[in-house]
Amino acid sequence: MITSEERAAILKVLGSKHVKKIQDYLIDNKILSPNDKPYSKTIISYILSGERENEIIENAIFAYAHQKMIEKEKLQELRTLIVSKQKL
C-alpha cells in the first residue's frame, strides 16, 4: 500500500495530471486489468492515495516515477553542462 509520504514523493516527481500519466504508462507497458482492459483513472487514484492495494500497479507507479526522476536528473545535468560551457 502506498503511504502518504510515498504519494507526496511520487506527485513531486510526476507533477500535474499524474493519474493520466500513470494510466498512459500502464497502457504502454501492457499492464492491464484482469479482463484485459486499461485500469481506470479512478482505480489508479485509489491506489495512489492508499485507499486500495494492488501490488502490480504500485510497482509500476514506482518504476514510472523512478524513470521520470532519472530523466529529470539527466536533463538537469545537460542544462548544467551547457551553462558551464558558456562561461568558458
Side-chain angles (χ1 to χ4, degrees):
M1 188 167 292
I2 294 178
T3 66
S4 59
E5 185 177 297
E6 292 169 334
R7 181 181 192 278
I10 291 166
L11 296 182
K12 186 174 181 181
V13 171
L14 298 183
S16 65
K17 300 187 181 183
H18 51 275
V19 174
K20 177 64 175 151
K21 291 175 185 177
I22 292 168
Q23 185 183 45
D24 291 342
Y25 177 83
L26 294 173
I27 292 168
D28 290 346
N29 288 279
K30 298 184 181 15
I31 300 170
L32 304 171
S33 68
N35 59 0
D36 288 332
K37 295 193 181 216
Y39 284 100
S40 70
K41 290 186 221 175
T42 303
I43 294 297
I44 294 167
S45 182
Y46 283 146
I47 292 166
L48 188 57
S49 68
E51 294 178 43
R52 291 199 182 165
E53 196 170 338
N54 183 315
E55 188 175 352
I56 293 169
I57 296 177
E58 290 172 26
N59 290 339
I61 290 170
F62 281 106
Y64 179 55
H66 183 252
Q67 175 185 327
K68 287 306 203 183
M69 190 172 63
I70 290 171
E71 288 173 11
K72 285 182 180 183
E73 288 172 357
K74 287 183 179 183
L75 183 58
Q76 186 58 48
E77 287 174 14
L78 179 61
R79 288 178 177 207
T80 303
L81 179 65
I82 290 171
V83 170
S84 68
K85 294 282 186 183
Q86 294 298 315
K87 292 181 180 179
L88 296 179

